[in-house]
Amino acid sequence: MSKLKTQDMLATAFEAEGVDHLFTLMGDANMYWSTAMAQRPGMHVIHTRHESCAVSMAEGYARATGKVGVASTTCGPGFTQIMTSLAMAARANIPLVVFAGDSPIAAAWYLQQIDMGPLAIGSGAHYVPVRHMDRMLDNVREAFQVAQVERRPVVLSVPMDLQKLPW
């Protein structure tokens, strides 16, 4: 039996998109994926002191390299912290993908649950919610396609309980 988890497949999907730098402030909802990303050969994970800095650094990386910048944040207040940087990236037409760890699907009690979609869309970003494993890799591809073609940030929302499931 394989020990591969969904978080590992997500990391593989990001690597397949050419990602070699990740700017993140790790929290409970993105720590599984961020750890899987850090274990990828050649991956440079830069930890920030504030979520907004992670998005701003990914924006600078995208400007400097011409590649899609990648940032990551956790759910709840961690996600709300990126609104200014996300809006500025949208106004500047910067291709970014923000891996936003989301609250568990199966836990209505989770205190940090917040509806990310309206906030992301209100900032000018595109929003892609990952809710099923069978569409997960397509969701990652969609996020990068929109970021590249439309030259705008994309928030990819991935619940933490989904990241931990066996692949």
Side-chain angles (χ1 to χ4, degrees):
M1 170 142 50
S2 172
K3 293 182 182 179
L4 200 61
K5 294 192 183 277
T6 303
Q7 66 206 27
D8 301 313
M9 286 307 296
L10 283 164
T12 299
F14 271 72
E15 188 178 45
E17 294 293 340
V19 176
D20 57 7
H21 283 75
L22 166 63
F23 303 92
T24 185
L25 180 59
M26 199 181 307
D28 60 347
N30 68 339
M31 66 182 175
Y32 308 107
W33 175 78
S34 293
T35 301
M37 288 292 283
Q39 294 170 349
R40 309 307 288 186
M43 186 65 60
H44 303 281
V45 178
I46 295 92
H47 297 276
T48 64
R49 298 180 124 200
H50 194 280
E51 294 88 349
S52 187
C53 292
V55 174
S56 294
M57 291 169 78
E59 177 183 350
Y61 175 83
R63 286 177 185 261
T65 65
K67 297 171 71 174
V68 174
V70 177
S72 181
T73 184
T74 190
C75 59
F79 180 71
T80 64
Q81 292 289 346
I82 70 169
M83 290 302 105
T84 300
S85 295
L86 199 59
M88 293 291 80
R91 288 181 181 206
N93 299 106
I94 304 297
L96 295 176
V97 172
V98 177
F99 182 101
D102 205 347
S103 56
I105 292 173
W109 53 264
Y110 195 73
L111 293 176
Q112 293 190 55
Q113 194 285 329
I114 187 169
D115 190 359
M116 292 182 184
L119 289 171
I121 293 167
S123 75
H126 184 73
Y127 179 70
V128 178
V130 176
R131 296 297 177 256
H132 301 283
M133 285 178 59
D134 61 344
R135 294 270 310 134
M136 182 185 71
L137 299 178
D138 293 331
N139 294 143
V140 172
R141 183 70 205 119
E142 176 188 349
F144 278 89
Q145 188 73 21
V146 169
Q148 290 167 337
V149 172
E150 297 183 18
R151 298 201 49 80
R152 65 191 265 199
V154 178
V155 172
L156 182 70
S157 162
V158 187
M160 68 172 81
D161 54 348
L162 188 62
Q163 295 173 50
K164 298 188 300 182
L165 292 175
W167 184 255

